[in-house]
Amino acid sequence: MKKLYITLLCIMLSFTAANAQYSRLVQKGDSCMDRYNTFDALNFYSEASDIDDNDKLKIKKGNCYFIRNDYRRCRDMLLAVPADSLPWKAMRQLFYSYGHLSAPAEQIKWGTKILEKNPKDGEVTADLAELYNRNEVQRYADAAVLTLKYLLEDSSDIAVMRQLANAEFFLKNFSQAKDTYKQLIAKGDSTFDNYFSLGMCCQQLHDTIGAYSALKKSAYLSEYKVPGCLARLGSICIDLASEKNKYGADDIYRYTHEGVEFLENALVLYENDPTIMYVANRSLGDGYYMEKKYLNAIKIWKTALEYRKNSVAVYYNIAQAYQVLGDKIHAESYYKAFLCWAYTLQDKSLSLKQMISAAENIVGKNSVKVGDIISPKD
């Protein structure tokens, strides 16, 4: 009996000592974390886990890994804890760890869980909506629903509102997107992206002045170093200049001059993007033509054709420029090339039909047949 008593006493003393050692190690780890010393904290927590590897300790270690950007280990450590035992902070760490690990499906899963428990977490709402808005996910409607629901309770959250605007833009709800981008800018979120997107909305809504104003501001904010922005701004300027009935001669000259300058700068910066290069060269040619620099216009329009060889508008424009210069041979050559491509189009707008008729009057109605392939003479 005495031996049994001694044995039990030894076990109790050992257990008490182990508990005391465990508590000291955890306290030392916590003290290190108070000083953001994650390296030593992990060592103390690891020693403590040799005594008792419980869920609370795993959560502490997961926190260390997250702070150290070791997202894979953070994920593995926190997933070892039952989901219903994870505190709020740990769930968010899993959400962001999956983001850093480029695992959108799992990130959406944990973001949804977080918002089910606390729908007023604005940061997670915005970041989950941003994930929905990404090109590789393309769940724009989900982003719109998520952000609208949140904004019913908190209409002042800029990050959430920004994702709503983007979702509306991707859904091609340009009128709503335009209004939301304007609200963002009014709240002080005056970024390049917001002004650029506002300009694109205005362009889609045929609000040329609005597009000009917003794109010019976005160009300024980017220090005139983003070719895509400059190309679109230049195109808008040329469009404004072409609206001759709305503006006086001074305004037409100003818009034309600005458009040519923006487009020339876009080409100097050059992005290896065929769409941008086509838009920039075509619009720059329009600008040169309006400045009566016809040879420059022809040269730059021919460059545009290198990026889009079936652009009927560019063939027609080149033909017109040659016609103004009195070069009948080249004019007729490009009118025929225009007709060659125009005849292949199924849906012909009224303006295109008028262009076809004008070209046929010059080169002859039967000079080009459907299916002909004609390369213009240079």
Side-chain angles (χ1 to χ4, degrees):
M1 187 69 180
K2 186 177 180 180
K3 289 183 179 180
L4 178 60
Y5 175 78
I6 293 173
T7 302
L8 290 173
L9 180 61
C10 290
I11 292 172
M12 289 176 63
L13 290 173
S14 175
F15 181 76
T16 302
N19 278 343
Q21 177 66 359
Y22 171 85
S23 297
R24 281 195 296 270
L25 290 169
V26 172
Q27 287 173 3
K28 287 182 179 180
D30 292 345
S31 178
C32 289
M33 288 301 296
D34 289 339
R35 301 190 302 275
Y36 297 95
N37 178 0
T38 57
F39 176 75
D40 288 327
L42 269 174
N43 287 332
F44 286 125
Y45 291 148
S46 295
E47 286 186 53
S49 65
D50 291 337
I51 300 171
D52 183 8
D53 191 20
N54 56 63
D55 290 342
K56 288 185 178 179
L57 199 52
K58 289 173 183 173
I59 291 168
K60 289 177 181 289
K61 291 167 73 175
N63 181 46
C64 287
Y65 288 132
F66 185 82
I67 293 171
R68 294 167 67 84
N69 292 358
D70 193 343
Y71 302 112
R72 197 172 302 279
R73 285 183 177 171
C74 174
R75 176 202 63 187
D76 294 343
M77 187 61 63
L78 295 179
L79 286 180
V81 179
D84 56 3
S85 297
L86 286 172
W88 188 257
K89 182 178 178 180
M91 292 178 69
R92 292 175 105 257
Q93 288 172 342
L94 270 173
F95 172 74
Y96 288 109
S97 290
Y98 277 118
H100 288 292
L101 294 171
S102 300
E106 291 300 315
Q107 190 179 14
I108 289 171
K109 170 186 168 183
W110 281 97
T112 303
K113 285 184 177 182
I114 290 169
L115 296 180
E116 284 174 353
K117 289 190 174 182
N118 182 12
K120 290 189 176 181
D121 188 330
E123 185 178 21
V124 171
T125 299
D127 290 335
L128 180 57
E130 188 274 332
L131 179 57
Y132 285 146
N133 279 331
R134 289 183 195 172
N135 187 53
E136 64 268 26
V137 178
Q138 295 189 17
R139 290 175 58 175
Y140 309 133
D142 289 334
V145 170
L146 178 66
T147 50
L148 279 169
K149 183 179 178 181
Y150 179 90
L151 291 169
L152 288 174
E153 298 290 333
D154 176 10
S155 61
S156 62
D157 193 302
I158 288 176
V160 176
M161 187 179 294
R162 191 183 300 137
Q163 294 310 318
L164 171 61
N166 293 340
E168 290 169 334
F169 182 88
F170 293 136
L171 289 168
K172 299 184 179 180
N173 298 330
F174 297 116
S175 182
Q176 295 95 316
K178 175 184 173 181
D179 291 342
T180 308
Y181 284 123
K182 282 187 171 182
Q183 290 178 47
L184 282 165
I185 291 168
K187 289 178 180 292
D189 194 26
S190 307
T191 64
F192 164 81
D193 287 339
N194 285 341
Y195 273 108
F196 182 75
S197 296
L198 174 60
M200 296 294 287
C201 289
C202 291
Q203 187 175 21
Q204 292 293 330
L205 295 168
H206 307 292
D207 176 7
T208 316
I209 286 292
Y212 169 78
S213 177
L215 289 173
K216 194 168 185 180
K217 182 66 175 181
S218 67
Y220 170 77
L221 290 171
S222 67
E223 299 181 344
Y224 303 96
K225 293 179 180 178
V226 179
C229 175
L230 294 178
R232 285 170 174 80
L233 176 56
S235 298
I236 288 293
C237 289
I238 301 303
D239 289 343
L240 282 170
S242 67
E243 298 175 1
K244 298 178 182 179
N245 295 329
K246 293 185 179 180
Y247 309 105
D250 291 342
D251 287 327
I252 292 172
Y253 172 79
R254 176 169 63 88
Y255 288 131
T256 303
H257 179 73
E258 280 189 334
V260 168
E261 184 177 0
F262 289 134
L263 290 161
E264 286 178 338
N265 289 337
L267 291 174
V268 169
L269 291 170
Y270 178 71
E271 280 189 348
N272 191 22
D273 185 326
T275 300
I276 289 177
M277 295 307 295
Y278 167 74
V279 169
N281 280 285
R282 175 185 166 177
S283 297
L284 181 56
D286 293 344
Y288 284 143
Y289 186 89
M290 295 178 72
E291 291 182 329
K292 298 183 179 181
K293 298 176 181 178
Y294 301 117
L295 289 176
N296 287 354
I298 289 169
K299 180 180 178 181
I300 208 73
W301 276 329
K302 287 180 179 179
T303 302
L305 287 175
E306 294 176 9
Y307 295 97
R308 191 172 298 177
K309 68 178 183 178
N310 63 342
S311 175
V312 293
V314 173
Y315 283 113
Y316 189 85
N317 290 346
I318 294 173
Q320 281 193 311
Y322 275 124
Q323 190 174 2
V324 172
L325 292 169
D327 188 338
K328 182 179 179 181
I329 293 175
H330 282 100
E332 289 187 355
S333 175
Y334 273 88
Y335 276 128
K336 288 180 180 179
F338 158 75
L339 289 171
C340 170
W341 287 106
Y343 287 156
T344 66
L345 299 177
Q346 297 296 320
D347 298 320
K348 297 179 177 64
S349 65
L350 176 60
S351 61
L352 179 57
K353 290 177 181 178
Q354 292 171 341
M355 292 162 66
I356 290 173
S357 178
E360 289 175 340
N361 288 337
I362 294 171
V363 301
K365 194 167 185 178
N366 297 319
S367 62
V368 177
K369 296 179 181 179
V370 177
D372 284 353
I373 298 175
I374 297 176
S375 297
K377 296 177 181 179
D378 286 315

